[in-house]
Amino acid sequence: MVSDLTLLWRLTYGSAPAKLEADLALCKQFFDPLARGHSLRDRLGKLPETPSDLLRRISQYGEPLAVQAGDKVLLVGLEARLILDLLEKHPVDDDHLVLVPSDVASAEHTAMEIYRTWSTARLHQVVALRRGQGREVMQAIAVGVVIALLVNRSDTEERAVVRWHHSTADGQQVDSAIFAGAEAFAAEVSRNRSSRAVGEQRLKGGYALSEARRRLADQLVVTPDDKNGGERLYIPAEHRQAVIAFLGRDLGRRPRLTPSILSSAFDLLVGAYRRAAGELAHRGMVFERSTDTRSLKDELLREFSKAQRSSGQSR
């Protein structure tokens, strides 16, 4: 069995078994539940045929030791590599091998823990994104769109911004009004960024809003507006503080962003928003109040500074 599993391992992964931990990590390319279908198809397509005599011998063990990956193709993964490790640690006497139950249980536990880590990876990724602790920071233009909604006090369905398709005149004008501030904010925060493509400067189907919704989930509401034939977009008042805290944490992870630059970016957003607000005003969608805007700025800067202090302490 050792020689058969070793050969099949070489056929599957292109080299002989090496260090256990590194070999177990290799198995992810075939057994990762998050693997994209086309990537998996490509990898499976590159597997060589299993020699007929080896196929016959290994097939008797079945899954999970060996997995049928085609008419004449077998592949092995975690279980096969862990069995190999057990077999190599226990000498064979007179063609008999006795495995200690605790060793078998330990191998099963190792496989279970690895599969659990792989299967919960997406869950942890989404939770981290929602907490502002994802691997990548939120795109500055997406942050700007959220701040623009907060500046506009779009925190109830009655004060929502109505979005239409970008191909319509109404859709283009509302998009322009919201993105004027968001673009100004993003340009100042990033400093070296070029202007977003026109296709991304839209509330309906654009990247910035999609990114914001991916991060904020139910804290950013989009609901049908049957009266106007569009959709109402707003951040419910009960989520306002949580959203500001989220933005502060996310912005606080940018190493080159300082309170003065963030303050300047916020002011540029507000200035651009106010200059473009006419496109929203005649639709009854302007709800900004200068006192609330000043409070919003103070809260955002406070959360940003808190996040920076926390980040500095954790280093």
Side-chain angles (χ1 to χ4, degrees):
M1 179 184 280
V2 171
S3 60
D4 283 348
L5 289 178
T6 298
L7 177 55
L8 191 51
W9 180 274
R10 185 188 293 274
L11 290 171
T12 302
Y13 299 101
S15 60
K19 292 185 177 181
L20 179 62
E21 186 174 347
D23 284 349
L24 294 177
L26 281 177
C27 300
K28 190 175 183 180
Q29 61 186 282
F30 290 107
F31 296 93
D32 180 7
L34 302 183
R36 293 182 179 275
H38 67 85
S39 298
L40 195 53
R41 285 192 294 272
D42 288 344
R43 293 173 194 144
L44 291 173
K46 293 175 182 177
L47 289 174
E49 285 190 4
T50 304
S52 56
D53 55 338
L54 178 61
L55 181 66
R56 185 177 59 257
R57 290 194 300 272
I58 292 292
S59 293
Q60 65 180 313
Y61 300 111
E63 295 189 17
L65 197 60
V67 177
Q68 192 85 32
D71 291 338
K72 299 179 180 180
V73 179
L74 293 177
L75 69 86
V76 287
L78 297 178
E79 293 82 5
R81 185 62 185 87
L82 289 166
I83 284 291
L84 265 178
D85 187 60
L86 283 177
L87 294 176
E88 290 170 348
K89 287 178 178 177
H90 293 78
V92 178
D93 183 24
D94 295 330
D95 294 327
H96 291 284
L97 174 66
V98 177
L99 295 177
V100 180
S102 60
D103 288 342
V104 176
S106 177
E108 290 179 336
H109 179 74
T110 297
M112 181 189 71
E113 284 298 304
I114 293 174
Y115 281 130
R116 185 179 187 280
T117 298
W118 292 347
S119 64
T120 59
R122 180 59 57 81
L123 171 64
H124 292 311
Q125 182 186 63
V126 171
V127 170
L129 286 175
R130 294 194 64 184
R131 296 178 63 185
Q133 298 171 345
R135 187 172 299 177
E136 296 181 355
V137 296
M138 191 172 172
Q139 291 290 328
I141 185 68
V143 177
V145 167
V146 176
I147 294 176
L149 290 172
L150 291 170
V151 167
N152 195 55
R153 293 198 308 130
S154 294
D155 55 8
T156 66
E157 190 169 348
E158 291 70 30
R159 292 205 291 258
V161 168
V162 179
R163 67 173 186 167
W164 292 276
H165 195 278
H166 190 72
S167 62
T168 66
D170 287 333
Q172 292 173 14
Q173 290 169 359
V174 171
D175 286 355
S176 176
I178 293 297
F179 274 92
E183 277 289 332
F185 176 86
E188 180 69 1
V189 165
S190 301
R191 290 290 174 101
N192 61 347
R193 81 190 285 284
S194 56
S195 181
R196 283 271 170 189
V198 173
E200 297 182 29
Q201 297 178 358
R202 59 192 185 206
L203 293 176
K204 194 171 184 67
Y207 170 81
L209 183 60
S210 297
E211 168 76 349
R213 294 185 69 186
R214 186 167 71 98
R215 303 285 184 129
L216 298 177
D218 60 346
Q219 294 175 332
L220 200 167
V221 174
V222 178
T223 186
D225 180 16
D226 298 330
K227 178 181 178 181
N228 295 295
E231 295 172 317
R232 290 183 172 271
L233 179 66
Y234 65 99
I235 298 167
E238 61 268 27
H239 296 314
R240 181 180 180 276
Q241 290 303 127
V243 169
I244 295 171
F246 174 93
L247 296 178
R249 287 195 303 271
D250 191 84
L251 290 166
R253 297 166 59 209
R254 299 168 184 263
R256 290 185 292 274
L257 185 60
T258 65
S260 62
I261 293 175
L262 178 56
S263 176
S264 173
F266 186 94
D267 292 342
L268 288 169
L269 181 151
V270 173
Y273 159 84
R274 287 172 177 168
R275 288 190 295 274
E279 299 294 352
L280 300 177
H282 76 273
R283 293 178 171 83
M285 284 192 240
V286 173
F287 306 102
E288 190 225 356
R289 288 196 306 217
S290 58
T291 53
D292 290 332
T293 299
R294 286 195 295 270
S295 296
L296 172 62
K297 179 180 179 180
D298 291 342
E299 291 174 70
L300 181 62
L301 286 169
R302 185 163 53 250
E303 292 293 341
F304 171 75
S305 297
K306 185 192 302 182
Q308 283 199 319
R309 288 195 301 271
S310 176
S311 176
Q313 292 171 359
S314 64
R315 291 193 184 108

